[in-house]
Amino acid sequence: MNSTSARRLGIALIVLVSVGYTIIPLVASLATAAASVNARLLVLLAAFYWPHFLHVRQAFTGARSRWLPATLAVQAVAAYLPEVLGFTGWSAGTAPLLAGPVLLLLPLRWGGVLVTTMVAAEFWWLQGIFHNVTGSYFYALTIVITGAMIYVIVRLVRVTAELEQARADLAEAAVLKERLRISRDLHDGLGHSLTAIVLKGDLATRLMDRDLPAAKTEVGTLVQVAREAAQEVRQVARGYRRMSLAGEVHRAAALLESSGIGCQVNLAEIAPSREPDEALAWAVREGVTNILRHSRATTCSITTSSRAGRIRLEIVNDGLPPDDAQTATDTVGDGPVGAQPFGGGLVGLVERAAQVEGTVEAGHTSEGGFRLTMEVPT
């Protein structure tokens, strides 16, 4: 049941209960009483039911009219004044209905106090008129029961609407999250592959005139990288992306070496779980891609170590980019990333690290190089 249907059902139930409390005495009065008496009765009913249904409507929408104190006072007067004017037993039908708006529109603590006072006053009033403890107790108890019923119906309708909105918000958030995942994976994965294709193409072009067999080898490697890139795009679209630190380090070392950058690899004997392992693999891919794109590095080291249940990955290279402004140091949890080294790829790494309760840092080294660090739980 959606919120619209729930609201319609709730309104129908409240209208049915509200009319039911007064329809029998109203019909009896119209059939037996004088016209003047019936005219006053109809005026009193209008004075009671107009603010009553106005209050119920406000409760369903969650709105609060600036005239609320006045309209609630009008309904309260219309609920009890007829008793003074000679309509004996009038409040037995109106007081239970008044309890609903009192509980809905006032703070629940104060509404409960007022309803309790109404119950005590109704019991005392009816006992003084009819001298019947059982009957007086019954009519007084209907104030609590009816007021609670109206309150629960309205609250259930409101909760249904809130849950429906929450489902819509969650669906929208899921779509946005998937878009961000695809965008991030395409940037991190495809960017690396395209960089490798460009490097292999440039190298094959240079070798074409002086070493044709080597050039053919590079072209073959280029084709293989292009096929892997196409496969990665399909995996990203299907959500089947799976990477490992060891495999990514192996590919990164081979790519750096083929690009003329010496690579030293020192991986500790660690077996992290899947999510931290993938986060570290993405860090290697992003770090190496940035080295190839933006630096003038001649050497690079990729190192992992373990301490206190956390794995630390360091990628260090010499040969900073010409623009020294492309530096940053940031950790997950310290706020948004500021100036980021080599573009927006660090944002993706920070997000991936955050998903596994890890941190990312990036910045200059004292030797004039650049260091990218990621720490994740084992």
Side-chain angles (χ1 to χ4, degrees):
M1 180 182 294
N2 57 32
S3 59
T4 302
S5 300
R7 182 178 177 182
R8 290 174 180 172
L9 179 59
I11 292 174
L13 289 174
I14 292 176
V15 169
L16 181 63
V17 171
S18 300
V19 173
Y21 268 97
T22 55
I23 189 65
I24 295 177
L26 176 61
V27 171
S29 177
L30 292 176
T32 59
S36 59
V37 174
N38 289 329
R40 283 183 294 169
L41 179 62
L42 292 175
V43 170
L44 291 172
L45 285 175
F48 176 81
Y49 277 116
W50 173 75
H52 175 67
F53 289 116
L54 179 65
H55 294 153
V56 171
R57 179 182 178 184
Q58 291 178 9
F60 273 118
T61 60
R64 289 294 185 273
S65 171
R66 62 176 180 172
W67 304 107
L68 175 61
T71 55
L72 197 57
V74 169
Q75 186 179 2
V77 170
Y80 289 104
L81 182 60
E83 290 279 358
V84 180
L85 299 179
F87 291 92
T88 304
W90 173 273
S91 60
T94 56
L97 301 178
L98 176 63
V102 167
L103 292 174
L104 288 169
L105 300 179
L106 297 180
L108 193 57
R109 179 177 60 181
W110 294 110
V113 171
L114 287 177
V115 169
T116 303
T117 303
M118 291 166 57
V119 170
E122 188 69 19
F123 178 81
W124 173 80
W125 179 260
L126 294 178
Q127 176 65 15
I129 296 174
F130 301 111
H131 306 287
N132 186 323
V133 175
T134 303
S136 301
Y137 175 78
F138 170 79
Y139 282 110
L141 188 61
T142 59
I143 297 177
V144 177
I145 296 174
T146 306
M149 182 196 66
I150 294 175
Y151 177 83
V152 169
I153 290 175
V154 173
R155 286 302 304 158
L156 286 177
V157 172
R158 290 287 303 279
V159 168
T160 300
E162 291 169 2
L163 288 176
E164 190 174 80
Q165 182 61 44
R167 284 197 298 267
D169 292 342
L170 288 174
E172 184 177 351
V175 171
L176 179 59
K177 183 178 180 181
E178 184 65 10
R179 288 176 179 172
L180 291 175
R181 181 193 69 80
I182 293 175
S183 174
R184 183 183 61 200
D185 287 0
L186 285 177
H187 173 274
D188 297 346
L190 194 58
H192 174 86
S193 299
L194 292 177
T195 299
I197 290 172
V198 170
L199 292 173
K200 294 295 182 181
D202 290 342
L203 181 58
T205 301
R206 292 195 299 268
L207 293 174
M208 197 70 69
D209 294 333
R210 64 176 185 268
D211 192 348
L212 188 59
K216 290 181 178 180
T217 300
E218 295 298 331
V219 170
T221 305
L222 185 152
V223 172
Q224 180 61 32
V225 173
R227 288 174 177 169
E228 292 177 356
Q231 180 64 22
E232 288 174 357
V233 171
R234 287 192 291 270
Q235 290 175 342
V236 167
R238 297 172 182 172
Y240 295 154
R241 192 79 182 122
R242 179 69 175 96
M243 298 175 62
S244 67
L245 174 63
E248 199 59 39
V249 168
H250 176 75
R251 284 190 291 270
L255 183 58
L256 289 170
E257 293 289 351
S258 67
S259 302
I261 302 175
C263 182
Q264 298 179 353
V265 176
N266 184 15
L267 300 182
E269 295 293 332
I270 308 171
S273 57
R274 174 176 175 174
E275 289 80 6
D277 190 52
E278 287 187 347
L280 294 172
W282 280 113
V284 171
R285 171 163 288 201
E286 179 63 25
V288 171
T289 300
N290 286 337
I291 291 171
L292 295 172
R293 283 181 174 176
H294 304 289
S295 76
R296 297 175 178 175
T298 58
T299 62
C300 173
S301 65
I302 303 175
T303 307
T304 60
S305 58
S306 177
R307 186 178 62 180
R310 296 181 69 83
I311 304 173
R312 179 181 178 88
L313 167 70
E314 283 192 357
I315 304 175
V316 183
N317 66 278
D318 61 358
L320 285 172
D323 185 4
D324 290 337
Q326 298 181 24
T327 60
T329 300
D330 194 12
T331 59
V332 173
D334 292 341
V337 180
Q340 298 148 13
F342 315 131
L346 183 60
V347 175
L349 291 186
V350 171
E351 292 174 352
R352 294 180 191 279
Q355 292 175 356
V356 293
E357 300 180 356
T359 60
V360 174
E361 296 180 358
H364 285 215
T365 65
S366 57
E367 294 81 12
F370 194 85
R371 175 184 288 108
L372 174 65
T373 303
M374 176 182 284
E375 282 194 9
V376 297
T378 305

